[in-house]
Each structure stands twice: as structure tokens, then as C-alpha cells.
Amino acid sequence: MPNASHLKPNKMSMIQMLLKELEQEAQTTRKMLSRVPNDKYDWKPHEKSMTIKQLATHIAELPGWITMTLTTDELDFAATPYTPENITNTTQLVDYFEKCLADGKTHLSKATDDQLQPNWTLRNGEQILSVSTKGEVIRMVFSQIVHHRAQLGVYLRLLNIPIPGSYGPSADEMNF
């Protein structure tokens, strides 16, 4: 029987898989953030919703959580209150995203699969909000990017701004 070992797919490390996914999601995120209109930064669709500025800034900062996850063992909101970057226009927003993305990629590319195994804790003082492995937290960061990006898509739709496709063409990109 012939040797079929050449038919086996190359085994990717977890770090390589995460880097690939991060780059794929970054392409869509970049397009979505670039559509935020400068004159709508205070707009929100509902009184309980974030403003488009708050939402878009959070999306832009999320790749930076990769760095935080890999370089710390926890985030304690009681000791480190959340202070978002003050973004005032879409050029700043996209630049901030690119900065956070580059930082997250740099730290992730230098990490090893073994560094994804230790636990990382999210807390508010004594209240433990979650404990997960660093790898699980990084996957949660990716999920948060996708989740909030979808929210931003609804905001943009309500403002009648064409939405870029995420995993294929959007309705705005289709020829009906």
C-alpha cells in the first residue's frame, strides 16, 4: 500500500489558528468601523443602548484584550475602573482599532500554546465574574468582537448606511 502520510493536513498550533481567525475577523471589523458616520457619534437606537461612539470604541479596543489576557492573570474592575479611549471621529476610530489589533497580534504571535492554559480571572473586587483559561478568554474576545460588530450593523442599518458583508455579501452588496 502506498504511503499516504503526504495527504495529512498540516497541524496548526492553537496560536496559529487564533492568529488566522483574528486576521479574518479584523478585515470585516475594519470595514464596519469605517462606516461609522462622524456626525452620529452620540446617536443610539434606544435609551438603554450604548451610543454608536461607545459601541464602536469598545469594538476597536477589544483586540487589546488579547495583550491584557496574555500579560496578566486577572482584571479587577474595582481596582482598575474601565475608562474608554475618547474617540471623536472615524479616522481616529479606525486608527485606534489598528493600534489595538497590532498590539494584540504582536503578543499573540510571541505566545506559545502552553501560555494559553493558565487561568485568567475577571472580577469586581471580591465578586468573581468568570475564571477561564487564557485561551478561552481570547476566544471570548473574538466572540465579543463579532457580537458587538453585529450590534453595530443594526445601528448602521437603522441609520440607512450600507453594511459590508461579514461571511459573504450583505444585502447591500447583492444584486437583486
Side-chain angles (χ1 to χ4, degrees):
M1 215 176 238
N3 182 348
S5 64
H6 68 283
L7 299 176
K8 291 180 184 175
N10 290 335
K11 184 177 178 187
M12 291 178 84
S13 71
M14 183 59 76
I15 296 294
Q16 290 169 319
M17 288 180 7
L18 290 170
L19 283 165
K20 180 179 178 184
E21 183 176 1
L22 180 61
E23 183 53 41
Q24 289 169 335
E25 293 303 332
Q27 292 173 24
T28 304
T29 303
R30 189 178 291 115
K31 287 188 285 186
M32 191 72 79
L33 291 174
S34 71
R35 306 268 173 113
V36 176
N38 285 328
D39 65 339
K40 297 293 185 189
Y41 270 60
D42 293 328
W43 184 86
K44 58 184 179 177
H46 187 272
E47 65 188 37
K48 292 183 181 180
S49 299
M50 290 185 269
T51 64
I52 203 167
K53 173 184 177 175
Q54 291 167 319
L55 179 59
T57 300
H58 183 51
I59 294 166
E61 76 188 357
L62 279 167
W65 279 58
I66 297 166
T67 300
M68 179 179 50
T69 302
L70 291 170
T71 60
T72 67
D73 293 324
E74 72 174 21
L75 172 60
D76 182 353
F77 286 120
T80 311
Y82 175 66
T83 337
E85 189 80 12
N86 185 24
I87 302 294
T88 58
N89 64 64
T90 303
T91 300
Q92 262 185 342
L93 176 66
V94 173
D95 288 348
Y96 182 56
F97 170 70
E98 296 297 346
K99 176 183 159 221
C100 294
L101 178 63
D103 190 50
K105 272 187 188 177
T106 296
H107 282 85
L108 188 56
S109 66
K110 292 178 182 176
T112 65
D113 284 1
D114 288 342
Q115 289 173 299
L116 301 176
Q117 299 310 311
N119 281 340
W120 190 87
T121 303
L122 182 64
R123 69 172 59 237
N124 189 14
E126 295 300 314
Q127 180 186 14
I128 304 291
L129 303 172
S130 71
V131 177
S132 303
T133 67
K134 290 184 177 201
E136 291 168 329
V137 172
I138 291 170
R139 281 290 306 126
M140 184 271 307
V141 167
F142 291 4
S143 295
Q144 285 290 299
I145 292 169
V146 172
H147 164 75
H148 289 303
R149 194 176 67 208
Q151 284 181 301
L152 181 58
V154 172
Y155 281 39
L156 296 175
R157 175 66 72 220
L158 291 171
L159 291 169
N160 204 29
I161 296 167
I163 298 169
S166 294
Y167 305 106
S170 71
D172 296 309
E173 297 169 331
M174 299 291 291
N175 294 324
F176 292 109

